[in-house]
Every structure is written in C-alpha cells, then in structure tokens.
Amino acid sequence: MSEALGQANSQAIARYKNNFLKEVEERVEDGQWVKMCMQCGVCAGSCPFGPHWEHSPQKIFMMIRAGKREEVLTSDSMWMCTSCYNCVVRCPRKLPITHIMHGLANYAHRLGLVAKGQPTRDIAVLFWKNIIKGGRLNELTFSLSMYFRDGFGQGVKNAMAMQGIGLALVKTKRLNPMEILGGHMCKDKSGIQRMLAKAAEIEDKRRGMA
Amino acid sequence: MAKKNYAFYPGCSSQKGASASNYLNSFGLMCEKLDIQLNEVPDWNCCGASIAYAEGSELPRLMLSARNMAIVEKELPGQDMVSGCPACWLALREAKGRFEEHGSMKTEANECLQDLNLSYQGQVKPRHMTEVLIEDIGYDAMKAQVVRPLDGVKIAGYVGCQTNRPFGIDGESFENPMYLDKMIETVGAEPVPYDQKVTCCGGALAFSEPDKSYKQIRDIVESAYDHGAQVIATPCQLCQANVELYQSEINKKQGTKFSMPVVFYSQLLGLAYGGDLKQTGLDGQVIRANVLEKFIK
C-alpha cells in the first residue's frame, strides 16, 4: 500500500474509532441502508456469483454492524457483483444492495485495501480511465489495456488467446482497428473532465474525505 | 401518420465499428416502418455502465447521466430520451431517481454543470427502445407492418438483467417477463419457454472473471438448446456479445459444440418488415443466423 493510501486508512480508523457502521453510513454510497437489513438471506440465494464469494451481502451487512472493518473492506465479495440487480428486486426491505456493494468496493479501493491484482477492480479502473479520456468508451483500447494489464508477455498471450473473437468482430465490422488512433470522442471532453473533477471534490467534501 | 420524435442516446457499444454496431444498423428500417424519428443527443457521453464504480464514486458517476439529460433538456426539449442500451437507460433512470430523492445532490449536480453552460431540471424521461415499441407503438401496430412472418422459427427470448431489473418494463414481472416472447410472436415466430430467461450472463465480469461467467453463459445456451430454440433474441448489447462471442471459448475449454445465433429483437422486427442482410444487421453476426437469413431471398 502506498503511503498516501495508508494514511487515508489510518485517518479513517482514527476518526471513526470502533464505529464502522457510522463510517459506512457516512462514507459509502447508500451506506445508510445497511442497518435496515433483517438478515433473511434472500440476497445470498439470489446472487449468480453466490458460490464464488467469501461473504454474502447479508453477511457483509452483519459484519459491518459487528465492526469487522478489515474483514469487510478486504473481502472479495463486492468485486463479485455483476450488477444483475436480482438481490435488489427481491430484498423484502428494499435495500439497494447492488449500490451498497459498489459503494463498499469504491471505498475499499479508495483506502488501498483491495488485494493487488483483484481482476474486477483492475478492469473497473481501466474502464473509468478509458471513458474519462474521451468521454466515450473506446472498446479497442479498453480491451488491449485489459489484456496487457499484467505486462507485455502476458498481454501477447491473452491477445493471442482471444484473437479468434477479435478477428471475427473485425470481420463483422464490430471492432475497428483504427480506433487505436483515438476513435469516437466527445467534443467537450475537457468539459467532461472538469465536471467529473468538480463532482469528486464536492462529494469528498460532503463525506469528510477531502 | 406523424412521426414520433425522440432524443436518441445510442451509447458507446452501438457506435459505428463498435461491438453492437449491427444493433444500431437494425434500427433504421424498424423505426421507418413504425414512424419513429430518432434525434441523436448532441455530444452525448458514456453512462459509466455498471463497472465504473471502482474509480468513479457516486456523484461523478451520476454526473455522466446528468450531463446527457441536461443536453436533452437544452437541445431537444420535450422529447423522451431513448436508448437501445439497458445500461445507458438504467444509468439515466438511477441518476434521475437519485436526484429526485436527494434535492441537495441535484443542487450539487447543477454546480458541476454550470461550467459547461448546462443545467439539469429533471424533466427528461429516460426510456428503453423496447418500452417505446411496447407502450408508444403497441404490439398490434408492430404486427401490422409484418410482410415476412418468421414462420416456424423457434426463438428463446433472453431478457437478461438490466432491461428487467431493478426497473423493468411496466406491468412485467421480474421473474418471468413476457414482453420479449410477445414480440417474438408479433413477428410470427415461436417463443420457446425455457428456464434461463432472466439469468445473468456475467455482465462486465465476463472480462475479469471469465470462468464464472462462462458457467452462466453455458447455462443459458444449453437451456435454449434443450428447449428446442434455434436462435436466442435479446434486448441487451452486453448479453448479446457475451452469449454469442464466448460460445467458441466454452467449446474450446469444455468440449461443447455450441453454435447458437444470438440476435436483437430489432433484427427480428427488421427481418419481418422485409429487411435485407444489411438493414437487419444480420451480416454482423459472428455466429450466422442461417435460420433467419433464409427468409432473405
């Protein structure tokens, strides 16, 4: 963990002492909903990636209330969310579970507590960087950045493994190699970048993270 | 009949040369026949899809949609904002709902938009293209344009997640929505009942957790085969791409012999309305839909 991230984490611990629920309520998107969970487990049974994660949303919510800060923020669970919204529509208490999981993922990433190489975190970061550059997703450079995220050698292997699909897409005009030169972009990309920077600043201030 | 006008938000994957460009290609004839006029939102930006959250926290993410809606309020006032993409539509609806619920966040949004000479009032109604077809056009009017009924084709309507949850199409159930099956009937084809209609394909995690996603995709394709489907049809770009493109990977890794075409509802309509390969976007299938192409002489 870098020094700045380590510092952000220690500051959060100092600020909230042992009240992790309060920390989540103030700093995590839709965190104020966590205490509404009644532990029925419908979310756990509804998740398509249920068999693969360490803790179900139900467990995560109980762990938050029990103050298990480190276990929650280093869990791989929120990185297994496919955004299918099954849990949201089935939750009898109408908790926005998908958003809470996304919010926890964002917060853990922000504090530098996510395991190195966590694949969903890594592609999510690459996705964001890609879209804010030109205002629109460039599918070609995004795919290449994913393949090459573990270095050049692995990247060539990944790209070779997927070359059948890539060539089929080029052939059907669903992937344009010329996008490497920039491709589709917004005219006001600098305005978009300023807007996003401003929004991050406002939100950080509101959540006491500035 | 007077054309119905809509502000149109294609989304990144539907652009020329992008993974669902054939989806957009299939809109032309369909909209012409149904008197739908799509007016592209000037300088629209990416919605953030469902994978922007790691780096993009709440407000920045909502701003992506706020800007798009603010542009519609300014440039195409009074028009509903239509996207063919479930993720775009979902992001717009989420942002609109969040700003309605938290007035202070709407104020913050306008602070961020000021510098762009835009403001967000909350007047735009986001719609998915299937909603426009079902609610504004109607099944009868959709059927009236059919010149080439797709007789005998068995189709598994794969609704997936994001056109169905958390908002869904009004009046439909989350567990067994019927609108796609009804559209399949409208074009004269036969919807097959199967048990994976609303199963998640893995979404963006097909990139990061391929094996886990391939299991989802395998379940969907296998069930479609088991219930006699010849084609899968979907309203979602990511569903289409994941379920079509990774069949070859699953075949390689798991020894299956999948070759199930996956098309969009709009391609079925375009075909039934007499479209050729290009107009239906069927020339953009990686797994060619021969059972559909045979209708094109």
Side-chain angles (χ1 to χ4, degrees):
Chain A
M1 198 190 303
S2 80
E3 205 174 307
L5 290 175
Q7 212 178 1
N9 191 37
S10 348
Q11 276 169 357
I13 294 170
R15 183 181 172 125
Y16 291 98
K17 308 273 183 315
N18 291 321
N19 198 343
F20 184 44
L21 177 62
K22 189 167 179 232
E23 182 177 351
V24 169
E25 286 176 335
E26 288 183 5
R27 292 188 156 193
V28 172
E29 180 172 348
D30 278 339
Q32 72 278 9
W33 281 88
V34 166
K35 61 174 176 290
M36 294 297 291
C37 171
M38 64 180 193
Q39 293 294 306
C40 72
V42 165
C43 53
S46 301
C47 180
F49 278 17
H52 309 298
W53 58 10
E54 220 177 331
H55 313 101
S56 65
Q58 165 206 13
K59 278 190 190 151
I60 290 279
F61 299 155
M62 183 50 94
M63 286 158 67
I64 292 171
R65 295 163 81 167
K68 299 204 174 293
R69 186 176 187 278
E70 200 186 329
E71 289 95 318
V72 169
L73 293 175
T74 57
S75 173
D76 70 351
S77 299
M78 47 274 198
W79 300 104
M80 293 287 169
C81 175
T82 63
S83 308
C84 78
Y85 292 84
N86 248 328
C87 52
V88 174
V89 300
R90 290 181 183 168
C91 175
R93 285 276 177 93
K94 306 266 180 287
L95 268 74
I97 301 171
T98 303
H99 299 293
I100 306 171
M101 299 311 275
H102 291 181
L104 285 167
N106 175 275
Y107 190 54
H109 169 62
R110 183 79 194 259
L111 296 180
L113 297 173
V114 183
K116 193 168 180 287
Q118 208 310 317
T120 301
R121 188 275 304 273
D122 289 355
I123 67 148
V125 170
L126 292 169
F127 185 90
W128 181 258
K129 284 187 176 152
N130 194 294
I131 63 169
I132 67 170
K133 200 171 167 195
R136 294 182 190 176
L137 180 70
N138 183 318
E139 292 182 338
L140 179 66
T141 54
F142 174 54
S143 303
L144 291 174
S145 68
M146 286 193 294
Y147 295 155
F148 286 89
R149 70 181 189 269
D150 298 320
F152 185 75
Q154 187 58 42
V156 171
K157 264 190 227 161
N158 294 342
M160 292 295 282
M162 286 294 169
Q163 67 168 336
I165 291 177
L167 288 173
L169 285 174
V170 171
K171 214 173 126 193
T172 51
K173 300 193 170 70
R174 288 165 62 186
L175 183 66
N176 180 4
M178 298 309 280
E179 289 271 312
I180 196 92
L181 303 174
H184 300 284
M185 272 190 199
C186 290
K187 284 193 208 93
D188 192 18
K189 52 181 190 283
S190 69
I192 293 169
Q193 288 159 3
R194 288 197 307 277
M195 170 185 86
L196 294 173
K198 178 91 184 158
E201 186 192 315
I202 291 174
E203 186 179 355
D204 280 0
K205 212 168 144 193
R206 166 158 48 83
R207 295 194 190 277
M209 289 161 73
Chain B
M1 202 167 70
K3 281 195 183 283
K4 292 187 172 68
N5 273 275
Y6 298 92
F8 182 52
Y9 177 28
C12 302
S13 65
S14 295
Q15 298 179 100
K16 195 166 188 278
S19 58
S21 52
N22 61 328
Y23 182 34
L24 195 60
N25 290 344
S26 70
F27 274 24
L29 180 67
M30 175 182 82
C31 290
E32 185 196 313
K33 294 284 179 188
L34 299 174
D35 287 317
I36 295 169
Q37 171 75 40
L38 298 178
N39 309 305
E40 187 165 336
V41 178
D43 209 38
W44 57 267
N45 55 262
C46 174
C47 71
S50 38
I51 195 69
Y53 56 81
E55 197 86 339
S57 62
E58 187 180 20
L59 190 60
R61 235 176 43 244
L62 296 176
M63 285 316 298
L64 293 169
S65 293
R67 177 178 179 271
N68 288 327
M69 289 191 279
I71 294 174
V72 172
E73 286 181 3
K74 186 177 177 181
E75 307 282 349
L76 300 162
Q79 297 184 15
D80 286 356
M81 185 171 182
V82 179
S83 183
C85 175
C88 294
W89 172 68
L90 176 59
L92 294 172
R93 284 193 66 164
E94 262 171 12
K96 186 180 161 90
R98 211 71 71 94
F99 293 135
E100 273 168 13
E101 199 182 330
H102 307 285
S104 59
M105 219 185 274
K106 188 172 152 190
T107 311
E108 291 173 347
N110 277 314
E111 209 181 318
C112 300
L113 287 170
Q114 212 171 17
D115 176 41
L116 280 66
N117 281 323
L118 292 169
S119 79
Y120 172 75
Q121 302 304 321
Q123 290 156 349
V124 177
K125 188 175 180 192
R127 317 275 305 276
H128 187 267
M129 181 52 96
T130 52
E131 280 183 301
V132 169
L133 295 177
I134 296 162
E135 294 165 3
D136 298 2
I137 307 296
Y139 296 106
D140 289 344
M142 271 191 262
K143 192 169 184 170
Q145 295 297 327
V146 172
V147 294
R148 186 196 270 155
L150 309 183
D151 283 331
V153 183
K154 293 183 174 178
I155 304 179
Y158 173 46
V159 177
C161 299
Q162 295 195 347
T163 31
N164 187 40
R165 298 180 300 264
F167 302 111
I169 308 295
D170 270 0
E172 296 280 358
S173 86
F174 295 129
E175 308 292 340
N176 188 18
M178 295 307 294
Y179 70 90
L180 192 53
D181 289 348
K182 283 188 213 157
M183 286 171 89
I184 291 166
E185 275 172 1
T186 299
V187 295
E190 186 189 329
V192 300
Y194 74 123
D195 54 4
Q196 304 287 333
K197 189 193 268 184
V198 295
T199 298
C200 178
C201 69
L205 274 66
F207 294 120
S208 55
E209 299 283 0
D211 293 333
K212 298 177 179 75
S213 303
Y214 294 169
K215 163 152 193 326
Q216 299 297 114
I217 295 164
R218 181 175 175 157
D219 285 350
I220 295 159
V221 176
E222 218 157 42
S223 176
Y225 271 118
D226 287 349
H227 292 83
Q230 298 162 296
V231 181
I232 292 175
T234 176
C236 174
Q237 287 97 318
L238 196 51
C239 290
Q240 196 284 331
N242 280 349
V243 176
E244 182 189 46
L245 300 178
Y246 294 122
Q247 286 183 45
S248 58
E249 285 301 299
I250 296 168
N251 288 344
K252 236 191 281 173
K253 288 186 173 171
Q254 304 180 23
T256 47
K257 292 195 172 99
F258 293 155
S259 182
M260 174 70 76
V262 186
V263 304
F264 295 102
Y265 63 91
S266 51
Q267 296 180 285
L268 298 177
L269 287 169
L271 183 63
Y273 295 169
D276 59 23
L277 267 185
K278 206 168 174 239
Q279 288 167 319
T280 57
L282 285 171
D283 57 354
Q285 305 305 124
V286 167
I287 299 174
R288 293 298 284 243
N290 296 325
V291 65
L292 295 177
E293 282 187 32
K294 72 170 192 230
F295 288 95
I296 303 168
K297 292 283 178 294

